[in-house]
Amino acid sequence: MEKTIKSIATNFGIYLGAILAAITVIAYATNLEILTEWWLGIGLFVMIIVFGIISISKSKHALGGYISFKEAFTAYFVTVLIGIVISSLVSIIIFNFIDPEAAITLKELVIEKSIEMMRGFNAPEESIAEALSQMEEAPSQFAIGNVIQSLLIQLVIYSVIGLIISLIMKKTNEDL
């Protein structure tokens, strides 16, 4: 049974990773500014969680309609882990090896969006100048160390969500 859960989760993780990677590649090839949009971030966040839920649901179905908390969390976690690792690797390859200039352009776009947002919230100009200075001095978000750090933070956040979802979706067989 454990092999079934892991194989289902692995498959969904690969699907998730392929979709996330495709979105990154398409945005890179068409318009880098898409990667700075808030709605994309929210959409990807929701999509990752939905893939985790589907993985739990399919695993539960494969186990005859019952799934323990541990099995549910395993299905969710393996799916999310594989998906975001694939996506992170694609980002590292594109923005560090294929086109490092795109990482610089993206950083500039993020800075512009951030300043625009701060002005929209009527932030004082000295705060904007300070934030601008900090953002310009910061290393690329696509530096390998930063990508790994981001990956770990995402795993923690998605794991907390996964624990809650697993608790909700677990179903034990009362007859056993």
Side-chain angles (χ1 to χ4, degrees), residues 81-168:
L81 175 67
I82 291 172
I84 63 176
V85 165
I86 290 170
S87 176
S88 296
L89 288 173
V90 168
S91 292
I92 287 171
I93 292 167
I94 290 173
F95 296 110
N96 285 294
F97 301 110
I98 294 175
D99 190 2
E101 289 296 315
I104 295 167
T105 302
L106 195 54
K107 181 178 179 178
E108 291 168 358
L109 290 169
V110 168
I111 290 171
E112 288 173 18
K113 285 260 187 193
S114 299
I115 291 171
E116 187 180 303
M117 183 180 70
M118 290 176 77
R119 286 197 172 119
F121 287 123
N122 296 321
E125 283 300 317
E126 59 270 3
S127 297
I128 293 172
E130 184 180 322
L132 174 62
S133 174
Q134 289 176 353
M135 288 187 280
E136 287 175 339
E137 292 173 11
S140 169
Q141 71 187 56
F142 298 106
I144 295 172
N146 287 349
V147 172
I148 292 170
Q149 182 181 12
S150 173
L151 181 89
L152 294 174
I153 291 168
Q154 288 180 62
L155 275 177
V156 169
I157 292 167
Y158 286 119
S159 292
V160 170
I161 293 167
L163 289 169
I164 295 166
I165 292 169
S166 298
L167 191 61
I168 293 168

Coordinates of all heavy atoms in Angstrom, one line a residue, residues 81-168:
L81 N 6.8 18.4 -2.7 CA 8.3 18.4 -2.7 C 8.8 18.2 -4.1 O 9.6 19.0 -4.6 CB 8.9 17.3 -1.8 CG 10.4 17.1 -1.8 CD1 11.1 18.3 -1.2 CD2 10.8 15.8 -1.1
I82 N 8.4 17.2 -4.8 CA 8.8 16.9 -6.2 C 8.5 18.1 -7.1 O 9.3 18.5 -7.9 CB 8.3 15.6 -6.7 CG1 8.9 14.4 -5.9 CG2 8.5 15.4 -8.2 CD1 8.2 13.1 -6.2
G83 N 7.3 18.6 -7.0 CA 6.9 19.7 -7.8 C 7.7 21.0 -7.7 O 8.2 21.5 -8.6
I84 N 7.9 21.4 -6.4 CA 8.7 22.6 -6.2 C 10.2 22.4 -6.4 O 10.9 23.4 -6.8 CB 8.4 23.3 -4.9 CG1 8.8 22.5 -3.7 CG2 6.9 23.7 -4.9 CD1 8.5 23.3 -2.4
V85 N 10.7 21.2 -6.3 CA 12.1 20.9 -6.6 C 12.3 21.0 -8.1 O 13.3 21.7 -8.5 CB 12.6 19.6 -6.0 CG1 13.9 19.1 -6.6 CG2 12.7 19.7 -4.5
I86 N 11.5 20.4 -8.9 CA 11.6 20.5 -10.3 C 11.5 22.0 -10.8 O 12.4 22.4 -11.6 CB 10.5 19.7 -11.0 CG1 10.7 18.2 -10.8 CG2 10.4 20.0 -12.5 CD1 9.6 17.3 -11.2
S87 N 10.6 22.7 -10.2 CA 10.4 24.1 -10.6 C 11.7 24.9 -10.2 O 12.1 25.8 -11.0 CB 9.2 24.7 -9.9 OG 9.1 26.1 -10.1
S88 N 12.2 24.7 -9.0 CA 13.4 25.4 -8.6 C 14.6 25.1 -9.5 O 15.4 26.0 -9.8 CB 13.7 25.0 -7.1 OG 12.7 25.5 -6.3
L89 N 14.8 23.8 -9.8 CA 15.9 23.4 -10.7 C 15.8 24.1 -12.1 O 16.8 24.6 -12.6 CB 15.9 21.9 -10.9 CG 16.4 21.1 -9.7 CD1 16.2 19.6 -10.0 CD2 17.8 21.4 -9.3
V90 N 14.6 24.2 -12.6 CA 14.4 24.9 -13.9 C 14.8 26.4 -13.7 O 15.4 26.9 -14.6 CB 12.9 24.7 -14.4 CG1 12.6 25.6 -15.6 CG2 12.7 23.3 -14.8
S91 N 14.3 27.0 -12.7 CA 14.7 28.4 -12.4 C 16.2 28.6 -12.3 O 16.8 29.5 -12.9 CB 14.0 28.9 -11.2 OG 12.6 29.0 -11.4
I92 N 16.8 27.7 -11.6 CA 18.3 27.8 -11.4 C 19.0 27.7 -12.8 O 19.9 28.5 -13.1 CB 18.8 26.7 -10.5 CG1 18.5 27.0 -9.0 CG2 20.3 26.5 -10.6 CD1 18.7 25.9 -8.0
I93 N 18.5 26.7 -13.6 CA 19.1 26.5 -14.9 C 18.9 27.7 -15.8 O 19.9 28.2 -16.4 CB 18.6 25.2 -15.6 CG1 19.1 24.0 -14.8 CG2 19.0 25.1 -17.0 CD1 18.4 22.7 -15.1
I94 N 17.7 28.2 -15.9 CA 17.4 29.3 -16.8 C 18.2 30.6 -16.3 O 18.8 31.2 -17.1 CB 15.9 29.6 -16.8 CG1 15.2 28.5 -17.6 CG2 15.6 31.0 -17.5 CD1 13.7 28.6 -17.6
F95 N 18.0 31.0 -15.0 CA 18.5 32.3 -14.6 C 19.9 32.3 -14.1 O 20.5 33.4 -13.8 CB 17.6 32.8 -13.5 CG 16.2 33.1 -14.0 CD1 15.1 32.3 -13.6 CD2 15.9 34.1 -14.9 CE1 13.8 32.5 -14.1 CE2 14.6 34.3 -15.4 CZ 13.6 33.5 -15.0
N96 N 20.6 31.1 -14.0 CA 22.0 31.1 -13.7 C 22.9 30.7 -14.8 O 24.1 31.1 -14.8 CB 22.2 30.2 -12.4 CG 21.8 30.9 -11.2 OD1 22.3 31.9 -10.7 ND2 20.7 30.3 -10.6
F97 N 22.4 29.8 -15.7 CA 23.3 29.2 -16.7 C 22.9 29.6 -18.1 O 23.7 30.0 -18.9 CB 23.3 27.7 -16.6 CG 23.8 27.3 -15.2 CD1 22.9 26.7 -14.3 CD2 25.1 27.5 -14.9 CE1 23.4 26.3 -13.1 CE2 25.6 27.1 -13.6 CZ 24.7 26.5 -12.7
I98 N 21.6 29.6 -18.4 CA 21.1 29.9 -19.8 C 21.2 31.4 -20.0 O 21.7 31.9 -21.0 CB 19.7 29.3 -20.1 CG1 19.8 27.8 -20.0 CG2 19.2 29.8 -21.4 CD1 18.5 27.1 -20.2
D99 N 20.6 32.2 -19.1 CA 20.4 33.6 -19.3 C 20.5 34.4 -18.0 O 19.5 34.8 -17.5 CB 19.1 33.9 -20.0 CG 19.0 35.3 -20.5 OD1 19.9 36.1 -20.3 OD2 17.9 35.7 -21.1
P100 N 21.7 34.6 -17.5 CA 21.9 35.3 -16.2 C 21.4 36.8 -16.3 O 21.0 37.3 -15.3 CB 23.4 35.3 -15.9 CG 23.9 34.1 -16.7 CD 23.0 34.0 -17.9
E101 N 21.4 37.3 -17.5 CA 20.9 38.7 -17.7 C 19.4 38.8 -17.4 O 18.9 39.8 -17.0 CB 21.2 39.2 -19.2 CG 22.6 39.4 -19.5 CD 23.2 40.6 -18.6 OE1 22.5 41.6 -18.5 OE2 24.3 40.4 -18.1
A102 N 18.7 37.7 -17.7 CA 17.2 37.7 -17.4 C 17.0 37.8 -15.9 O 16.0 38.5 -15.5 CB 16.6 36.4 -17.9
A103 N 17.9 37.3 -15.1 CA 17.7 37.4 -13.6 C 17.9 38.8 -13.2 O 17.2 39.4 -12.3 CB 18.7 36.5 -12.9
I104 N 18.8 39.5 -13.9 CA 19.1 41.0 -13.6 C 17.9 41.8 -14.0 O 17.4 42.6 -13.2 CB 20.4 41.4 -14.3 CG1 21.6 40.7 -13.7 CG2 20.5 43.0 -14.1 CD1 22.8 40.9 -14.4
T105 N 17.3 41.5 -15.2 CA 16.1 42.2 -15.7 C 15.0 42.0 -14.7 O 14.2 42.9 -14.4 CB 15.8 41.7 -17.1 OG1 16.9 41.9 -17.9 CG2 14.6 42.4 -17.6
L106 N 14.8 40.7 -14.3 CA 13.7 40.4 -13.4 C 13.8 41.1 -12.1 O 12.9 41.6 -11.5 CB 13.6 38.9 -13.2 CG 12.3 38.3 -12.6 CD1 11.1 38.8 -13.4 CD2 12.4 36.8 -12.6
K107 N 15.1 41.2 -11.6 CA 15.3 41.9 -10.3 C 14.9 43.4 -10.5 O 14.3 44.0 -9.6 CB 16.8 41.8 -9.9 CG 17.1 42.5 -8.6 CD 18.6 42.3 -8.3 CE 19.0 43.0 -7.0 NZ 20.3 42.8 -6.6
E108 N 15.3 44.0 -11.6 CA 14.9 45.4 -11.9 C 13.4 45.5 -11.9 O 12.8 46.5 -11.4 CB 15.5 45.9 -13.2 CG 17.0 46.0 -13.1 CD 17.7 46.2 -14.4 OE1 17.0 46.2 -15.5 OE2 19.0 46.4 -14.4
L109 N 12.7 44.6 -12.6 CA 11.2 44.6 -12.6 C 10.6 44.5 -11.3 O 9.6 45.2 -11.0 CB 10.7 43.5 -13.6 CG 11.0 43.7 -15.1 CD1 10.7 42.4 -15.8 CD2 10.2 44.9 -15.6
V110 N 11.1 43.7 -10.4 CA 10.6 43.5 -9.1 C 10.8 44.8 -8.3 O 9.9 45.2 -7.5 CB 11.3 42.3 -8.3 CG1 11.0 42.3 -6.9 CG2 10.9 41.0 -9.0
I111 N 12.0 45.4 -8.4 CA 12.3 46.7 -7.8 C 11.3 47.8 -8.2 O 10.7 48.5 -7.4 CB 13.7 47.2 -8.0 CG1 14.7 46.2 -7.2 CG2 13.9 48.6 -7.6 CD1 16.1 46.4 -7.6
E112 N 11.0 47.9 -9.5 CA 10.1 48.8 -10.0 C 8.7 48.6 -9.5 O 8.0 49.5 -9.1 CB 10.0 48.8 -11.6 CG 11.2 49.3 -12.3 CD 11.2 49.1 -13.8 OE1 10.1 48.8 -14.3 OE2 12.3 49.2 -14.4
K113 N 8.2 47.3 -9.5 CA 6.9 47.0 -8.9 C 6.8 47.3 -7.5 O 5.8 47.8 -7.0 CB 6.6 45.5 -9.1 CG 6.2 45.1 -10.5 CD 4.8 45.0 -10.6 CE 4.5 44.5 -12.0 NZ 3.1 44.6 -12.4
S114 N 7.9 47.1 -6.7 CA 7.9 47.3 -5.3 C 7.8 48.8 -5.0 O 7.0 49.2 -4.1 CB 9.1 46.7 -4.6 OG 9.2 45.4 -4.8
I115 N 8.5 49.6 -5.7 CA 8.5 51.1 -5.5 C 7.1 51.6 -5.9 O 6.5 52.4 -5.2 CB 9.6 51.7 -6.4 CG1 11.0 51.4 -5.8 CG2 9.4 53.3 -6.5 CD1 12.1 51.8 -6.7
E116 N 6.6 51.1 -7.0 CA 5.2 51.5 -7.4 C 4.2 51.2 -6.3 O 3.3 52.0 -6.0 CB 4.9 50.7 -8.7 CG 3.6 51.1 -9.4 CD 3.5 50.3 -10.7 OE1 4.3 50.3 -11.6 OE2 2.4 49.6 -10.8
M117 N 4.3 50.0 -5.8 CA 3.4 49.6 -4.7 C 3.5 50.4 -3.5 O 2.5 50.9 -2.9 CB 3.6 48.1 -4.3 CG 2.6 47.6 -3.3 SD 2.9 45.8 -2.9 CE 4.4 46.0 -2.0
M118 N 4.8 50.7 -3.1 CA 5.0 51.6 -1.9 C 4.4 53.0 -2.1 O 3.9 53.5 -1.2 CB 6.5 51.6 -1.6 CG 7.1 50.3 -1.1 SD 8.9 50.4 -0.8 CE 8.9 51.3 0.7
R119 N 4.6 53.5 -3.3 CA 4.0 54.8 -3.6 C 2.5 54.8 -3.6 O 1.9 55.7 -3.2 CB 4.5 55.3 -4.9 CG 6.0 55.8 -4.9 CD 6.4 56.7 -6.0 NE 7.7 57.2 -5.8 CZ 8.8 57.0 -6.5 NH1 8.7 56.2 -7.6 NH2 10.0 57.5 -6.2
G120 N 2.0 53.7 -4.0 CA 0.5 53.5 -4.0 C 0.0 53.5 -2.6 O -1.2 53.8 -2.3
F121 N 0.8 53.0 -1.6 CA 0.4 53.0 -0.2 C 0.9 54.3 0.5 O 0.8 54.4 1.7 CB 1.0 51.8 0.5 CG 0.3 50.5 0.2 CD1 1.1 49.4 -0.4 CD2 -1.0 50.3 0.3 CE1 0.5 48.2 -0.7 CE2 -1.7 49.1 0.0 CZ -0.9 48.1 -0.5
N122 N 1.3 55.3 -0.3 CA 1.7 56.6 0.3 C 2.9 56.5 1.3 O 2.9 57.1 2.3 CB 0.6 57.4 0.8 CG -0.5 57.7 -0.2 OD1 -0.1 58.1 -1.3 ND2 -1.7 57.6 0.2
A123 N 3.8 55.6 1.0 CA 5.0 55.4 1.9 C 5.9 56.7 1.7 O 5.9 57.3 0.7 CB 5.8 54.2 1.5
P124 N 6.5 57.1 2.8 CA 7.4 58.3 2.7 C 8.6 58.0 1.8 O 9.1 56.9 1.7 CB 7.9 58.4 4.2 CG 7.1 57.5 5.0 CD 6.4 56.5 4.2
E125 N 9.0 59.0 1.1 CA 10.1 58.9 0.1 C 11.4 58.4 0.7 O 12.1 57.6 0.0 CB 10.3 60.2 -0.6 CG 9.3 60.6 -1.7 CD 9.1 59.5 -2.8 OE1 10.2 59.1 -3.3 OE2 8.0 59.2 -3.2
E126 N 11.7 58.7 2.0 CA 12.9 58.2 2.6 C 12.8 56.7 2.8 O 13.8 56.0 2.7 CB 13.2 58.9 3.9 CG 12.2 58.9 5.0 CD 11.2 60.1 4.9 OE1 11.3 60.9 4.0 OE2 10.3 60.1 5.8
S127 N 11.6 56.2 3.1 CA 11.4 54.8 3.2 C 11.6 54.1 1.9 O 12.2 53.0 1.8 CB 10.0 54.4 3.8 OG 9.9 55.0 5.1
I128 N 11.1 54.7 0.9 CA 11.2 54.1 -0.5 C 12.6 54.1 -0.9 O 13.1 53.1 -1.4 CB 10.3 54.9 -1.5 CG1 8.8 54.8 -1.2 CG2 10.6 54.5 -2.9 CD1 7.9 55.6 -2.0
A129 N 13.4 55.2 -0.6 CA 14.8 55.2 -1.0 C 15.6 54.2 -0.2 O 16.5 53.5 -0.8 CB 15.3 56.6 -0.7
E130 N 15.3 54.0 1.0 CA 16.0 53.0 1.8 C 15.7 51.6 1.3 O 16.6 50.7 1.2 CB 15.5 53.1 3.3 CG 16.2 52.1 4.2 CD 15.8 52.3 5.7 OE1 15.5 53.4 6.1 OE2 15.7 51.2 6.4
A131 N 14.4 51.3 1.0 CA 14.0 50.0 0.5 C 14.7 49.8 -0.9 O 15.2 48.6 -1.2 CB 12.5 49.9 0.3
L132 N 14.7 50.8 -1.7 CA 15.4 50.7 -3.0 C 16.8 50.3 -2.9 O 17.4 49.4 -3.6 CB 15.2 52.0 -3.8 CG 16.0 52.1 -5.1 CD1 15.4 51.1 -6.1 CD2 15.8 53.5 -5.7
S133 N 17.5 51.0 -1.9 CA 18.9 50.7 -1.7 C 19.1 49.2 -1.2 O 20.0 48.6 -1.7 CB 19.4 51.6 -0.6 OG 20.8 51.3 -0.2
Q134 N 18.3 48.8 -0.3 CA 18.4 47.4 0.1 C 18.1 46.4 -1.0 O 18.8 45.4 -1.1 CB 17.4 47.1 1.3 CG 17.8 47.8 2.6 CD 16.7 47.6 3.6 OE1 15.6 47.1 3.4 NE2 17.0 48.1 4.8
M135 N 17.1 46.6 -1.8 CA 16.8 45.7 -2.9 C 17.9 45.7 -3.9 O 18.2 44.6 -4.5 CB 15.5 46.1 -3.6 CG 14.3 45.8 -2.7 SD 12.7 46.1 -3.5 CE 12.5 47.8 -3.4
E136 N 18.5 46.8 -4.2 CA 19.6 46.9 -5.2 C 20.9 46.1 -4.7 O 21.6 45.5 -5.5 CB 20.0 48.3 -5.6 CG 18.9 49.0 -6.4 CD 19.2 50.5 -6.7 OE1 19.9 51.1 -5.9 OE2 18.6 51.0 -7.7
E137 N 21.1 46.2 -3.4 CA 22.3 45.5 -2.9 C 22.1 44.0 -2.6 O 23.1 43.3 -2.5 CB 22.6 46.2 -1.5 CG 23.2 47.6 -1.7 CD 23.4 48.3 -0.3 OE1 23.3 47.6 0.7 OE2 23.6 49.5 -0.3
A138 N 20.9 43.6 -2.6 CA 20.5 42.2 -2.3 C 21.0 41.3 -3.5 O 21.0 41.8 -4.7 CB 19.1 42.0 -2.1
P139 N 21.5 40.1 -3.2 CA 21.9 39.2 -4.3 C 20.7 38.8 -5.1 O 19.6 38.9 -4.6 CB 22.6 38.1 -3.6 CG 22.1 38.1 -2.2 CD 21.7 39.6 -1.9
S140 N 20.9 38.2 -6.2 CA 19.9 37.7 -7.1 C 19.0 36.7 -6.4 O 19.5 35.8 -5.6 CB 20.4 37.1 -8.3 OG 19.4 36.4 -9.1
Q141 N 17.7 36.8 -6.5 CA 16.8 35.8 -5.9 C 17.0 34.4 -6.6 O 16.6 33.4 -6.0 CB 15.4 36.2 -6.1 CG 14.8 36.1 -7.5 CD 13.4 36.7 -7.6 OE1 13.2 37.9 -7.3 NE2 12.5 35.9 -8.1
F142 N 17.7 34.4 -7.7 CA 18.0 33.1 -8.4 C 19.4 32.5 -8.1 O 19.8 31.5 -8.7 CB 17.8 33.2 -9.9 CG 16.3 33.6 -10.2 CD1 16.0 34.9 -10.6 CD2 15.3 32.7 -10.1 CE1 14.7 35.3 -10.9 CE2 14.0 33.0 -10.3 CZ 13.7 34.3 -10.7
A143 N 20.1 33.2 -7.2 CA 21.4 32.6 -6.8 C 21.1 31.2 -6.1 O 20.0 31.1 -5.5 CB 22.1 33.5 -5.8
I144 N 21.9 30.3 -6.4 CA 21.6 28.9 -5.9 C 21.3 28.8 -4.4 O 20.3 28.2 -4.0 CB 22.7 27.9 -6.3 CG1 22.8 27.8 -7.8 CG2 22.5 26.5 -5.7 CD1 24.0 27.1 -8.4
G145 N 22.0 29.5 -3.6 CA 21.8 29.5 -2.2 C 20.4 30.1 -1.8 O 19.7 29.6 -1.0
N146 N 20.0 31.2 -2.5 CA 18.7 31.8 -2.3 C 17.6 31.0 -2.8 O 16.5 30.9 -2.1 CB 18.7 33.2 -3.0 CG 19.5 34.2 -2.3 OD1 20.0 34.0 -1.2 ND2 19.7 35.4 -3.0
V147 N 17.8 30.2 -3.9 CA 16.7 29.3 -4.4 C 16.5 28.2 -3.3 O 15.4 27.8 -3.0 CB 17.1 28.8 -5.8 CG1 16.1 27.7 -6.2 CG2 17.1 29.9 -6.8
I148 N 17.6 27.7 -2.8 CA 17.5 26.6 -1.8 C 16.8 27.1 -0.6 O 16.0 26.4 0.0 CB 18.9 26.0 -1.5 CG1 19.4 25.2 -2.8 CG2 18.9 25.1 -0.3 CD1 20.9 24.8 -2.7
Q149 N 17.2 28.3 -0.1 CA 16.6 28.9 1.1 C 15.1 29.1 0.8 O 14.3 28.7 1.7 CB 17.2 30.2 1.4 CG 16.7 30.9 2.7 CD 17.3 32.2 3.0 OE1 18.1 32.7 2.1 NE2 17.1 32.7 4.1
S150 N 14.7 29.6 -0.3 CA 13.3 29.8 -0.7 C 12.6 28.5 -0.7 O 11.4 28.3 -0.2 CB 13.2 30.5 -2.0 OG 11.9 30.5 -2.4
L151 N 13.2 27.4 -1.3 CA 12.6 26.1 -1.3 C 12.3 25.6 0.0 O 11.2 25.0 0.3 CB 13.6 25.2 -2.1 CG 13.1 23.7 -2.3 CD1 12.3 23.6 -3.6 CD2 14.3 22.8 -2.3
L152 N 13.3 25.7 1.0 CA 13.1 25.3 2.3 C 11.9 26.0 3.0 O 11.1 25.4 3.7 CB 14.3 25.4 3.1 CG 15.5 24.4 2.7 CD1 16.8 24.7 3.4 CD2 15.1 23.0 2.8
I153 N 11.9 27.3 2.8 CA 10.8 28.1 3.4 C 9.4 27.7 2.9 O 8.5 27.5 3.6 CB 11.0 29.6 3.2 CG1 12.2 30.1 4.0 CG2 9.8 30.4 3.6 CD1 12.8 31.4 3.7
Q154 N 9.4 27.5 1.6 CA 8.1 27.0 0.9 C 7.7 25.7 1.5 O 6.5 25.4 1.7 CB 8.3 26.9 -0.6 CG 8.4 28.2 -1.3 CD 8.6 28.0 -2.8 OE1 7.7 27.4 -3.4 NE2 9.7 28.5 -3.3
L155 N 8.7 24.8 1.7 CA 8.4 23.4 2.2 C 7.8 23.5 3.6 O 6.8 22.8 3.9 CB 9.6 22.5 2.2 CG 9.9 21.8 1.0 CD1 11.2 21.0 1.1 CD2 8.8 20.9 0.5
V156 N 8.3 24.4 4.4 CA 7.7 24.6 5.7 C 6.3 25.1 5.7 O 5.4 24.5 6.3 CB 8.6 25.5 6.6 CG1 7.9 25.9 7.9 CG2 9.9 24.9 6.9
I157 N 6.1 26.1 4.8 CA 4.7 26.7 4.7 C 3.7 25.6 4.1 O 2.6 25.4 4.7 CB 4.8 27.9 3.8 CG1 5.5 29.1 4.5 CG2 3.3 28.4 3.4 CD1 5.9 30.2 3.6
Y158 N 4.1 25.0 3.1 CA 3.3 24.0 2.5 C 3.1 22.8 3.4 O 2.0 22.1 3.4 CB 3.8 23.5 1.1 CG 3.6 24.5 0.0 CD1 4.7 25.1 -0.6 CD2 2.3 25.0 -0.3 CE1 4.5 26.0 -1.6 CE2 2.1 26.0 -1.3 CZ 3.2 26.5 -2.0 OH 3.1 27.4 -2.9
S159 N 4.0 22.5 4.2 CA 3.9 21.3 5.2 C 2.9 21.7 6.2 O 2.1 20.8 6.6 CB 5.2 21.0 5.8 OG 6.1 20.5 4.9
V160 N 2.9 22.9 6.7 CA 1.9 23.3 7.7 C 0.5 23.1 7.1 O -0.4 22.6 7.7 CB 2.2 24.7 8.3 CG1 1.0 25.2 9.1 CG2 3.5 24.7 9.1
I161 N 0.3 23.6 5.9 CA -0.9 23.5 5.2 C -1.3 22.1 5.0 O -2.4 21.6 5.2 CB -0.9 24.3 3.9 CG1 -0.8 25.8 4.2 CG2 -2.2 24.0 3.1 CD1 -0.4 26.7 3.0
G162 N -0.3 21.3 4.6 CA -0.5 19.9 4.4 C -0.9 19.1 5.6 O -1.7 18.2 5.5
L163 N -0.4 19.5 6.8 CA -0.8 18.8 8.0 C -2.3 19.1 8.3 O -3.0 18.1 8.7 CB 0.1 19.4 9.2 CG 1.5 18.9 9.2 CD1 2.3 19.7 10.2 CD2 1.7 17.4 9.4
I164 N -2.7 20.3 8.1 CA -4.1 20.6 8.3 C -5.0 19.9 7.3 O -6.0 19.3 7.7 CB -4.3 22.1 8.2 CG1 -3.6 22.9 9.3 CG2 -5.8 22.5 8.2 CD1 -3.4 24.4 9.1
I165 N -4.6 19.9 6.0 CA -5.4 19.2 5.0 C -5.4 17.7 5.3 O -6.5 17.0 5.2 CB -4.8 19.5 3.6 CG1 -5.1 20.9 3.2 CG2 -5.4 18.5 2.5 CD1 -4.3 21.4 2.0
S166 N -4.3 17.1 5.7 CA -4.2 15.7 6.0 C -5.1 15.3 7.2 O -5.8 14.3 7.2 CB -2.8 15.3 6.3 OG -1.9 15.5 5.2
L167 N -5.2 16.2 8.1 CA -6.0 16.0 9.3 C -7.5 16.0 8.9 O -8.3 15.1 9.3 CB -5.8 17.1 10.3 CG -6.4 16.9 11.7 CD1 -5.9 15.6 12.4 CD2 -6.1 18.1 12.6
I168 N -7.9 16.9 8.0 CA -9.2 16.9 7.5 C -9.6 15.7 6.6 O -10.7 15.2 6.7 CB -9.4 18.3 6.7 CG1 -9.3 19.5 7.6 CG2 -10.8 18.3 5.9 CD1 -9.2 20.8 6.9

